[in-house]
Amino acid sequence: MAKRRLVAIALLMLGGCGIAYQSPKVNPLLDSGAKVRVLEITPESVMVANRSSYVPKQLPEVFFATAGVGGTPRGTGAVPEPVVDFQNKPGTLQTRVPPAVPETPYSIGVGDVLLLATPQTGNTVEQLTGLLAASNARQGYTVQDDGAIAIPNVGRVQVLGLTLEEAENRLFQRLVENQIDPTFSLEVAEFNSKKVSIGGAVGQPTVAPITLTPLYLDAALAAAGGITAEDLDYASVRIYRNGSLYQIPLRDLYSNSRLEKIQLIDGDAVFVDTSYELDLARAYFEEQIRLAEFKQNARIAALDELQAEVNIRNRTLTEARENYMTRLELNSVERDYVYLTGEVDNQTRYPLPFGQSATLADALYSNGGVPTETGNVSEIYVLRSSPDPREFGALTAWQLDGRNATNFLLSTRFELRPNDVIFVAEQPVTKWGRVISQITPSLITSAANAASR
């Protein structure tokens, strides 16, 4: 009799298991009477689903700003003309030649202007007719006091002291790092960092730049309009270099071609003197030394000012970014979310990323994927309603059948939209197991009560 009662109780509880355990599922008919359209996720349906318009939210501009400071190097004006002072003529002049310098590739310095040429874009007609101006694809950048050039979308690139080839390699790496087409050419458009001053008995005192090709004494004198001294017996070319004074009589210079090919270096001062005493040359060189010191001090001050401004901008950008991240942690920033429910490791909401779209695979596998022991991989749904609240009944359930593992490739192409709901159904055996787990305690209690009677 007790066994019959126990069986009857068990049958009664099994018959009412629908009340004991309710599991969510996708019902083609809502309680409101509206229908749910279930569409299988296929390559064609993915294209249809991705057509819905969506603009991802963007990070504030402060995350894309850099602390670079524009501007050009500071100068001190033109070189003053030397004072002419005639002295007594000597008997003979001695020749003192500066030591030879090794020929090295040109190194980029502060004030140089680098020309960056990138491929032009345009239609075939424009390219054939030459309507695109070269300036559209050629941009000059001045090497600033901190030794860098500032390139839009790339940032500051340090080029001070590099050869042209080394600068191209460094710029190539920075373009690749920023995912920019690294097709370009680089050249020096203006040579402003290395100079030689020429004064005295010349046609026009000047400052000659040192370029990619070495600057020799004869070329420097020609750039100053040539020598105007009439008396060759007591005229000489004096070269001031690194604190030492060298002298070449004009007759020796004209009679020895090797002297004309003395290579000049940055900071040299060349003075054509028509007197024996060194007072005039010394005054000229002292003037050049003071001018160089003044320029150096001015550049140091400008560099300190530049560094201070960069530091201030860095602190401002860092503070703004930290404030935004704090607001993000406190959920005070408007975000777009997708919701995960059903048989997933953790029922939660997945924030859509800034600046780009997210896919079904991104959301699923950011949450541990689908538990294969309990989740029904044949019923993975993306529930999407119409953005119009008056059309709530217009609900589409995009179904991914994961029994064929190749279909998971489609999940990497299915783009999510704000307020999508990702639902994973449970396996039938999982539902049955949960029913048993709920009724087993009741069966044990009922059997115990029946046995006690």
Side-chain angles (χ1 to χ4, degrees), residues 97-282:
V97 180
V101 295
E103 291 189 6
T104 57
Y106 183 84
S107 59
I108 298 171
V110 174
D112 288 344
V113 178
L114 303 184
L115 191 63
L116 178 64
T118 55
Q120 299 188 30
T121 57
N123 57 43
T124 304
V125 175
E126 290 174 330
Q127 292 174 352
L128 292 177
T129 57
L131 294 179
L132 290 176
S135 59
N136 290 341
R138 295 164 66 87
Q139 180 65 46
Y141 299 96
T142 302
V143 181
Q144 300 178 3
D145 289 346
D146 61 347
I149 56 175
I151 302 178
N153 301 322
V154 175
R156 303 187 68 78
V157 181
Q158 286 289 336
V159 295
L160 181 65
L162 301 182
T163 65
L164 201 56
E165 182 179 0
E166 291 170 342
E168 287 177 344
N169 293 336
R170 179 166 296 181
L171 184 55
F172 179 87
Q173 294 176 357
R174 292 294 298 274
L175 292 175
V176 172
E177 291 172 359
N178 289 272
Q179 298 181 353
I180 300 175
D181 181 11
T183 304
F184 69 96
S185 64
L186 190 68
E187 59 183 89
V188 183
E190 296 181 19
F191 298 87
N192 300 321
S193 63
K194 299 174 179 59
K195 299 178 180 180
V196 173
S197 59
I198 306 102
V202 292
Q204 184 177 1
T206 186
V207 176
I210 295 178
T211 63
L212 296 179
T213 57
L215 178 63
Y216 297 106
L217 180 58
D218 57 347
L221 293 172
I227 297 174
T228 59
E230 296 180 358
D231 190 348
L232 301 184
D233 293 330
Y234 301 103
S236 64
V237 176
R238 294 192 172 101
I239 301 174
Y240 182 82
R241 175 182 298 174
N242 298 330
S244 298
L245 186 62
Y246 305 96
Q247 177 177 273
I248 304 173
L250 284 186
R251 288 194 178 277
D252 293 347
L253 180 67
Y254 290 150
S255 62
N256 190 342
S257 60
R258 289 183 299 178
L259 295 177
E260 294 180 345
K261 294 303 179 182
I262 292 176
Q263 182 177 345
L264 302 178
I265 62 175
D266 180 34
D268 280 356
V270 179
F271 187 89
V272 180
D273 198 356
T274 58
S275 63
Y276 172 69
E277 297 296 336
L278 300 181
D279 293 344
L280 185 60
R282 184 178 297 110

Side-chain angles (χ1 to χ4, degrees), residues 358-367 408 410-414 416:
T359 65
L360 173 58
D362 293 332
L364 279 177
Y365 292 99
S366 68
N367 194 39
F408 279 103
L410 298 174
S411 68
T412 65
R413 301 173 185 171
F414 189 98
L416 298 175

